[in-house]
Amino acid sequence: MLGLVVEVKPIQAHFRIPYNSLLMDSYPFPPRTTAIGMLAGAMGLPEEGFRKLLNEVRYGVIVEEAGSRVEETAVIFKNKDSPIYPITKVLYHKPHYRLFFAGREGLIERAYDALLDPVFTPYLGDSESLFYPAKRDYARIVEVEEDKESTLRSIVPEEAYSAGARFFVLRRNNLTPRDYRMPVGFTYSGKKRRAIFRRVIAFAGGYVELANPLEVFLFDGEPVFTF
């Protein structure tokens, strides 16, 4: 098994929270399905390939900078007889994420090569949120090891946080720990698919200390909980 660490700093990012309606709210981090979908697109995989990748790759994320929360409002017009109503969309301006992927050696190597020379343009979230590398060596392959850890900077399962945790702030510009329902996969019925959610705690600008250690992967020594 190998690990792939991808560091990105887009100008803007929007990760639609699917269970909201008139407010197009956004996760402050790339959900699992979005991040693995980005790999699938870079690799040029069809829907079947994406589904297979969801089952083969583990994913975790550290929010280095949440970015500035921005709201934009647009009026949706369908036809002259339809009611006009505003839609508010949430964006994050200049966030900074470190994405962690773990999988079998050949697959991770293919994903790494694809990010350097993608089949389809990678983007984070919607089609307006293009992938921007955070630095020159934005993608790297690393060794991974299994371990247990209670002090983490990556997003963690809600049940682990609820069992007892403390949040330590490292800088003032932070994202206070909050509960989100993150899509981690899909169930399929014909051409329709339905998201499978898992509750997670996301934060930035600090680290959490859990009452009970979690099974994690060490990505070149960095402990990350993966989903």
Side-chain angles (χ1 to χ4, degrees), residues 17-57:
I17 296 180
Y19 44 86
N20 289 344
S21 54
L22 292 182
L23 172 64
M24 292 178 64
D25 205 354
S26 173
Y27 296 100
F29 60 90
R32 181 177 190 270
T33 50
T34 299
I36 294 179
M38 177 192 72
L39 287 187
M43 296 166 73
L45 300 178
E47 179 70 19
E48 283 297 319
F50 169 57
R51 291 170 63 173
K52 186 176 180 182
L53 207 61
L54 281 172
N55 294 324
E56 294 183 328
V57 174

Side-chain angles (χ1 to χ4, degrees), residues 96-117:
H96 184 183
Y97 310 116
R98 277 197 292 154
L99 315 179
F100 300 83
F101 305 91
R104 54 185 173 82
E105 184 176 333
L107 183 60
I108 291 298
E109 290 174 343
R110 282 181 56 206
Y112 170 77
D113 291 339
L115 285 176
L116 299 185
D117 186 17

